[in-house]
């Protein structure tokens, strides 16, 4: 295989994707290993190597004695063609051994539009696609990640799912497998054992029954399987594993830098945001721990950039101290400091002025909605004064480029709300031109992008309807037309995202087990890399829906009644369904809910007795 593999490398683009051998990769002696894990990322090397969750769990598993975790990425089309033509099975980067030779095959699921790639990787590995067709203890396939909170679209293909954060549950799963292997258990016996681990869901142990209208009637576990699967979380972020000696890629990746995770969760409660609900409660890392991590990461990797990682960096309670430390310690060494997810205020602008070239860089605002009414509906917590004031401070500080992000198709949206998007962009431009001409940094450039809202499980908007591709495009057209009417239109640019992908993502975000047939059929028709615009083929997907008789309208075009049983209702993420219903009702009345530090709203996650839930009581 090795000689053949090396010959193929000369005939593909970007061969560095496939060879491994990177600095800090982990190699173990096979004679000391009794459990091998193929950790699969269903996208390219460049995307997967930028994923902080994969870096963390790669380190967690390889810290275990007798366990060797190796990385596997989806091959690009040119390499896949060569593999199929020469019968070359999918391999792991560290050893170049075939994935089919591994005990456990783990997938991380970060995006619904990667599902066809999961099937392709299994087939390239020469592993049967369907869980029921895989016998024995070899090639046990499991999956985790944010999409695992609605596992049903992949339930036919995955043996079990790990729900929640994996630092503690993954070692428990591997130890359970190791014991099963030593005892000679069957696959079924192992699945019964692993189902006892908190956070593990085995789809084959649950029966789904339906009403005549196609909606779920009940999800019934078999004896011994938990009625509710409780997500796993890390209570103490200071003692949780975090990799300070990460792999240095051999080729350029999307985020080629050290990532410093400063906290998990978010206090804001935006009603469209799944991550903000899933990662509750907010749990911070101590600033001294982060300082130590920063030293070790930069020393062990040689990276020239360090980035703060969180959902909302401005909400880290020791941000000023941490940022001052990073600037004082590392800027003189030529280390760039990246500060994403900042709210634009005086402190943030001062910091960014120290770490960015103002004349070249742009600032990013995410108002998400143009009108104040709609921002109240989504609980964004921003007023027009906040937005214009922040932009004004940026302009006064020398910036002249601003990026704005909005969503179209939000619940209760009207044409007036759509037209408010370009009106807000124009207001920001007007604020720039209030600066005396001799003090301006040339003309301003306001670039506005709109994506289309997708209801996600475990959000207050999980009951919302979506729209057809044509309706989404018509909404974007309204916004585009309104941009042409603005006074400062020459300073304004507008882009919108692909609506066809939005429709599919909506189906699989809230899909039940029946949608697995569509995924399988779309894959049979040749759908791959569906998150890549140049690879996505909507016609094939529409054909797959037609061939399987699955109705997109059923999943997307109806507002769900509040008493409907959802495919994910058996999962307990801490946030209660009653709280989500309460927030849905607040949204319908455009009522704002204060953030977690201002007031506890009783979402349910206080039962974990950690993070901001304890801080607020103290």
């Amino acid at each position: 295989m090795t000689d053949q593999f090396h010959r193929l490398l000369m005939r593909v683009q970007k061969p560095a994707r496939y060879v491994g051998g990177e600095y800090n990769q982990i190699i173990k002696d096979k004679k000391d290993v009794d459990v091998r894990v193929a950790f699969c990322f269903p996208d390219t090397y460049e995307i997967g190597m930028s994923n902080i969750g994969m870096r963390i769990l790669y380190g967690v598993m390889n810290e275990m004695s007798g366990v060797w975790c190796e990385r596997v990425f989806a091959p690009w089309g040119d390499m896949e063609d060569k593999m199929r033509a020469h019968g070359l099975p999918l391999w792991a980067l560290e050893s170049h051994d075939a994935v089919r030779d591994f005990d456990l095959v783990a997938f991380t699921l970060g995006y619904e539009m990667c599902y066809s790639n999961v099937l392709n990787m299994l087939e390239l590995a020469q592993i049967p696609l369907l869980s029921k067709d895989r016998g024995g203890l070899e090639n046990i396939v499991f999956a985790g990640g944010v999409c695992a909170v609605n596992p049903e679209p992949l339930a036919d293909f995955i043996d079990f799912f790990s729900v929640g954060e994996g630092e503690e549950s993954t070692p428990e799963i591997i130890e359970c497998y190791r014991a099963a292997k030593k005892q000679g258990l069957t696959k079924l016996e192992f699945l019964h054992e692993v189902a006892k681990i908190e956070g593990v869901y085995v789809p084959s142990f649950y029966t789904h029954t339906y009403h005549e209208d196609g909606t779920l009637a009940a999800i019934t576990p078999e004896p011994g399987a938990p009625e509710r699967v409780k997500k796993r979380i890390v209570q103490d972020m200071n003692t949780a594993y975090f990799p300070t000696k990460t792999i240095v890629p051999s080729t350029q990746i999307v985020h080629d830098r050290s990532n410093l995770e400063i906290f998990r969760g978010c206090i804001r409660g935006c009603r469209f945001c799944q991550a903000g609900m899933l990662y509750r409660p907010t749990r911070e890392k101590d600033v001294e721990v982060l300082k130590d991590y920063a030293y070790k990461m930069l020393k062990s990797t040689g990276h020239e950039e360090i980035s703060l990682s969180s959902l909302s960096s401005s909400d880290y309670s020791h941000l000023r101290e941490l940022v001052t430390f990073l600037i004082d310690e590392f800027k003189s060494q030529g280390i760039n400091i990246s500060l994403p997810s900042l709210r634009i205020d005086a402190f943030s602008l001062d910091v960014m002025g120290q770490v960015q070239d103002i004349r070249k860089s742009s600032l990013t605002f995410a108002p998400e909605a143009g009108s104040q009414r709609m921002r109240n509906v989504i609980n964004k917590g921003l007023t027009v004064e906040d937005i214009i004031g922040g932009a004004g401070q940026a302009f006064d500080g020398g910036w002249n480029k601003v990026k704005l992000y909005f969503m179209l198709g939000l619940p209760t949206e009207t044409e007036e709300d759509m037209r408010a998007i370009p009106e807000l962009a124009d207001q920001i431009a007007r604020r720039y031109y209030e600066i005396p001409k001799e003090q301006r940094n040339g003309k301003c450039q306001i670039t506005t992008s709109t994506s289309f809202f997708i209801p996600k499980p475990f959000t207050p908007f999980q009951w919302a309807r979506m729209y057809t591709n044509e309706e989404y495009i018509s909404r974007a057209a309204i916004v585009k037309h309104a941009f042409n009417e603005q006074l400062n239109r020459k300073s304004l640019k507008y882009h919108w995202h692909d609506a066809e992908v939005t429709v599919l993502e909506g189906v699989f975000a809230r899909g039940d087990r029946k949608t697995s047939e569509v995924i399988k059929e779309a894959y049979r028709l040749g759908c791959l890399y569906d998150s890549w615009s140049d690879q996505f083929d909507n016609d094939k997907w529409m054909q797959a829906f037609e061939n399987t008789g699955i109705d997109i309208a059923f999943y997307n075009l109806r507002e769900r009644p509040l008493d409907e049983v959802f495919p994910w209702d058996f999962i307990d993420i801490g946030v209660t369904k009653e709280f989500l219903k309460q927030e849905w009702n607040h949204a319908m009345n455009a009522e704002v809910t204060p953030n977690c530090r201002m007031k506890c709203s009783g979402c349910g996650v206080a039962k974990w007795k950690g993070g901001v839930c304890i801080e607020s009581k103290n």
Side-chain angles (χ1 to χ4, degrees):
M1 173 177 173
T2 302
D3 291 341
Q4 187 181 50
F5 168 69
H6 286 139
R7 286 196 298 272
L8 294 184
L9 286 178
M10 304 298 292
R11 300 163 60 187
V12 299
Q13 296 179 3
K14 301 185 180 180
R17 289 170 164 169
Y18 309 109
V19 296
E22 307 101 320
Y23 185 67
N24 286 340
Q25 75 168 15
I26 296 173
I27 301 293
K28 295 190 177 183
D29 191 327
K30 292 180 188 176
K31 72 176 185 297
D32 299 325
V33 173
D34 59 358
V35 178
R36 298 186 69 183
V37 183
F39 196 2
C40 302
F41 192 92
D43 211 316
T44 64
Y45 176 93
E46 292 87 345
I47 304 294
M49 283 297 293
S50 302
N51 184 276
I52 190 170
M54 190 166 192
R55 294 183 185 187
I56 291 172
L57 292 181
Y58 177 83
V60 165
M61 287 185 267
N62 280 312
E63 286 276 300
M64 299 178 68
S65 177
V67 176
W68 189 11
C69 172
E70 302 182 48
R71 296 160 297 140
V72 185
F73 300 98
W76 196 247
D78 56 349
M79 175 57 88
E80 180 185 337
D81 291 343
K82 303 291 187 298
M83 292 168 63
R84 290 186 182 278
H86 294 83
L88 188 68
L90 188 65
W91 66 91
L93 288 190
E94 280 76 4
S95 65
H96 292 176
D97 287 346
V99 171
R100 67 188 178 204
D101 295 335
F102 284 67
D103 298 301
L104 295 165
V105 180
F107 284 92
T108 182
L109 307 172
Y111 183 39
E112 291 85 355
M113 299 314 295
C114 75
Y115 290 170
S116 60
N117 277 22
V118 171
L119 302 195
N120 193 46
M121 291 179 76
L122 287 174
E123 185 173 278
L124 288 173
Q126 300 174 4
I127 295 172
L129 298 186
L130 297 176
S131 174
K132 65 181 182 180
D133 294 336
R134 298 190 295 267
L137 271 189
E138 67 281 353
N139 303 150
I140 297 291
V141 179
F142 73 103
V146 66
C147 291
V149 296
N150 179 22
E152 296 312 307
L154 289 179
D156 288 348
F157 313 108
I158 306 297
D159 293 318
F160 68 89
F161 291 85
S162 176
V163 180
E165 298 165 1
E167 287 95 328
E168 296 171 358
S169 59
T170 303
E172 293 173 17
I173 288 168
I174 292 175
E175 289 296 351
C176 180
Y177 178 84
R178 174 182 274 150
K181 192 176 178 181
K182 287 181 178 178
Q183 295 168 29
L185 300 186
T186 64
K187 176 182 176 179
L188 181 60
E189 289 170 331
F190 163 68
L191 290 178
H192 276 291
E193 290 302 311
V194 81
K196 297 175 184 177
I197 296 174
E198 188 173 273
V200 170
Y201 166 58
V202 181
S204 59
F205 292 169
Y206 295 76
T207 300
H208 290 222
T209 54
Y210 296 86
H211 296 295
E212 288 186 8
D213 64 359
T215 58
L216 264 174
I219 302 169
T220 308
E222 69 174 47
E227 186 173 333
R228 299 270 285 164
V229 175
K230 186 179 178 183
K231 79 169 183 184
R232 296 293 292 269
I233 72 163
V234 174
Q235 292 275 21
D236 186 352
M237 294 299 293
N238 290 324
T239 58
Y241 176 86
F242 190 77
T244 55
K245 187 178 181 181
T246 57
I247 296 171
V248 180
S250 299
T251 187
Q252 187 175 12
I253 62 174
V254 176
H255 299 304
D256 199 357
R257 60 198 182 202
S258 291
N259 285 291
L260 191 62
E261 185 186 32
I262 58 178
F263 68 88
R264 282 189 196 162
C266 183
I267 63 172
R268 295 292 162 182
C270 296
R271 293 174 179 134
F272 59 84
C273 181
Q274 186 183 48
M277 297 293 166
L278 294 184
Y279 291 105
R280 290 188 176 204
T282 301
R283 291 146 289 146
E284 293 189 349
K285 291 184 180 178
D286 185 81
V287 69
E288 295 302 322
V289 171
L290 293 172
K291 291 176 183 179
D292 181 55
Y293 284 171
Y295 269 122
K296 291 177 179 176
M297 291 168 73
L298 292 171
K299 182 179 179 181
S300 69
T301 62
H303 280 144
E304 297 178 342
E305 181 176 350
I306 188 165
S307 176
L308 304 187
S309 174
S310 71
L311 292 176
S312 177
S313 297
S314 294
D315 292 323
Y316 179 57
S317 58
H318 301 287
L319 183 65
R320 185 181 295 271
E321 180 182 353
L322 177 61
V323 169
T324 301
F325 166 80
L326 294 175
I327 292 173
D328 291 346
E329 291 293 323
F330 301 118
K331 192 171 181 235
S332 62
Q333 301 174 30
I335 304 297
N336 293 322
I337 301 165
S338 174
L339 305 168
S341 306
L342 285 178
R343 291 197 164 213
I344 305 303
D345 54 23
F347 168 68
S348 299
L349 291 169
D350 176 60
V351 169
M352 286 185 277
Q354 296 181 60
V355 300
Q356 293 182 3
D357 183 339
I358 292 174
R359 290 185 175 273
K360 294 181 180 179
S361 62
S362 62
L363 292 179
T364 299
F365 292 82
E368 311 293 1
S371 69
Q372 190 60 53
R373 186 196 74 83
M374 185 56 68
R375 286 193 294 276
N376 290 348
V377 167
I378 65 177
N379 206 44
K380 183 62 182 176
L382 281 177
T383 65
V384 68
E385 290 78 17
D386 295 330
I387 297 165
I388 302 300
Q393 290 182 63
F395 295 148
D396 293 339
W399 275 274
N400 68 341
K401 301 184 187 73
V402 172
K403 294 179 180 178
L404 301 172
Y405 291 98
F406 297 88
M407 283 186 287
L408 289 173
L410 286 160
T412 78
E413 182 182 70
T414 66
E415 184 170 334
E416 183 180 354
D417 297 316
M418 300 176 218
R419 297 180 67 87
I421 292 173
E423 290 168 6
L424 180 58
D426 187 68
Q427 281 183 276
I428 292 172
R430 264 184 271 163
R431 173 61 180 83
Y432 179 80
Y433 290 115
E434 290 174 1
I435 301 173
K437 190 171 184 179
E438 61 275 10
Q439 296 177 24
R440 296 177 202 157
N441 183 17
K443 291 185 177 182
C444 77
Q445 180 180 308
I446 313 296
T447 302
T448 301
S449 297
T450 58
S451 59
F452 298 109
F453 162 71
I454 300 167
K456 296 281 188 171
F458 297 109
T459 68
F461 287 168
Q462 64 183 351
W463 290 276
R465 65 158 297 180
M466 292 181 66
Y467 299 93
T468 64
N469 176 55
E470 293 74 20
E471 287 173 306
Y472 283 126
I473 296 301
S474 69
R475 287 170 186 255
I478 289 171
V479 176
K480 176 67 174 175
H481 180 73
F483 265 103
N484 294 333
E485 298 174 343
Q486 301 308 311
L487 179 66
N488 296 290
R489 57 185 174 274
K490 290 185 178 180
S491 294
L492 309 178
K493 293 184 178 180
Y494 174 54
H495 309 285
W496 64 88
H497 291 193
D498 186 11
E500 293 176 336
V501 172
T502 297
V503 170
L504 290 180
E505 187 179 343
V507 171
F508 297 118
R510 297 187 293 177
D512 54 22
R513 287 192 181 184
K514 291 178 282 189
T515 60
S516 64
E517 290 299 319
V518 183
I519 297 170
K520 187 166 64 171
E521 179 64 7
Y523 173 62
R524 188 189 70 80
L525 293 172
C527 292
L528 280 179
Y529 283 104
D530 299 302
S531 61
W532 294 68
S533 58
D534 60 337
Q535 303 294 311
F536 176 69
D537 191 329
N538 192 59
D539 290 340
K540 289 180 180 177
W541 274 102
M542 293 303 102
Q543 186 64 54
F545 278 97
E546 183 177 335
N547 292 355
T548 55
I550 300 296
D551 183 13
I552 292 177
F554 173 80
Y555 294 96
N556 283 5
L557 301 186
R558 61 188 181 91
E559 184 174 303
R560 314 293 176 91
L562 290 180
D563 61 353
E564 179 167 332
V565 177
F566 288 135
W568 54 89
D569 273 351
F570 67 93
I571 291 176
D572 176 11
I573 69 156
V575 177
T576 66
K577 199 170 185 179
E578 287 308 309
F579 171 77
L580 297 177
K581 288 178 182 178
Q582 173 184 302
E583 283 295 287
W584 170 258
N585 290 328
H586 285 331
M588 295 303 101
N589 295 314
E591 296 172 355
V592 173
T593 299
N595 73 59
C596 297
R597 285 206 174 106
M598 292 175 63
K599 179 184 177 183
C600 176
S601 298
C603 72
V605 299
K607 66 185 178 184
W608 269 290
K609 299 182 173 62
V612 71
C613 299
I614 296 301
E615 293 169 23
S616 62
K617 291 182 180 179
N618 291 338

